[in-house]
Amino acid sequence: WASLIPNQFVIQNAGNMGVVSAGVGWSYGCRRQWETALLAGFIPRHQSDCAKMTMTLKQNYMPWRIALGDRWHFEPLRFGLYVNTVFGEQFWGEQPHRYPANYYGFSTRYRLNVCLGSQLHFLIPSGRNRSAFERVGLFYEVSTCDLYFRSKVLGGNLSWSDILGLSLGIALQL
């Protein structure tokens, strides 16, 4: 049962999941090479009537780690897949009946995303001055979603900068 208790707190900026997202995560595997996170995000009112909330389920894999001294570790490859949703009546999982059959071949509510990045960890020394956290991880990711990638592949006039996004984050490990 102890493995069901989250062992990290994650905050991320951007990544097709809102201006800011925060949530809990689980780091596991023999080398902690797997991470699963559940994040809630916020999209401010910009060109729409109201602000929106998002929810993301994310899975990361880091195949190797490089020690940079006693307290620093670098994970040069961080690969992830995640599904996110935006809450709101204007987003739908199944095509509404007001459109002809198969008019849209995709849901506007759910997006599948893929990301690549790196992460740098600092191990907090044990002792009286140590907080509740064992280590702090700083990461970046370059990501895209299924719809953007599909548009690029099917010959849309999109540049790579149109479909790729950069996100930054911090993971506080218990």
Side-chain angles (χ1 to χ4, degrees):
W1 291 103
S3 62
L4 296 177
I5 299 170
N7 59 11
Q8 58 177 224
F9 179 70
V10 181
I11 301 171
Q12 183 169 340
N13 169 260
N16 293 327
M17 58 180 85
V19 171
V20 66
S21 298
V24 296
W26 297 263
S27 177
Y28 52 94
C30 60
R31 296 179 329 272
R32 290 187 171 183
Q33 74 271 28
W34 292 98
E35 291 178 345
T36 302
L38 183 61
L39 305 160
F42 175 74
I43 302 171
R45 191 181 128 241
H46 179 59
Q47 294 178 345
S48 63
D49 294 339
C50 61
K52 296 171 185 63
M53 297 297 295
T54 68
M55 183 67 64
T56 303
L57 179 62
K58 186 175 182 184
Q59 181 67 50
N60 292 320
Y61 176 66
M62 292 78 60
W64 66 88
R65 177 178 298 155
I66 300 168
L68 303 172
D70 293 338
R71 294 196 179 117
W72 293 90
H73 291 105
F74 178 60
E75 293 166 339
L77 179 61
R78 175 184 170 96
F79 172 75
L81 290 171
Y82 54 99
V83 176
N84 72 325
T85 186
V86 179
F87 298 105
E89 292 178 10
Q90 67 272 38
F91 301 100
W92 37 266
E94 292 182 14
Q95 178 179 296
H97 295 292
R98 66 180 179 260
Y99 298 109
N102 299 319
Y103 186 75
Y104 288 106
F106 55 88
S107 160
T108 61
R109 176 161 288 170
Y110 306 103
R111 294 275 58 88
L112 177 62
N113 295 265
V114 63
C115 60
L116 283 173
S118 297
Q119 183 165 233
L120 182 65
H121 288 279
F122 175 72
L123 303 173
I124 300 170
S126 59
R128 273 191 276 166
N129 296 332
R130 183 181 193 172
S131 67
F133 300 107
E134 177 183 303
R135 63 183 174 157
V136 176
L138 303 173
F139 64 88
Y140 80 90
E141 295 171 346
V142 176
S143 63
T144 192
C145 73
D146 56 347
L147 191 56
Y148 294 167
F149 187 74
R150 178 179 178 260
S151 296
K152 174 74 174 164
V153 169
L154 293 178
N157 284 336
L158 298 172
S159 68
W160 285 106
S161 64
D162 290 331
I163 71 164
L164 296 176
L166 174 66
S167 60
L168 303 172
I170 184 169
L172 304 169
Q173 194 88 33
L174 296 174

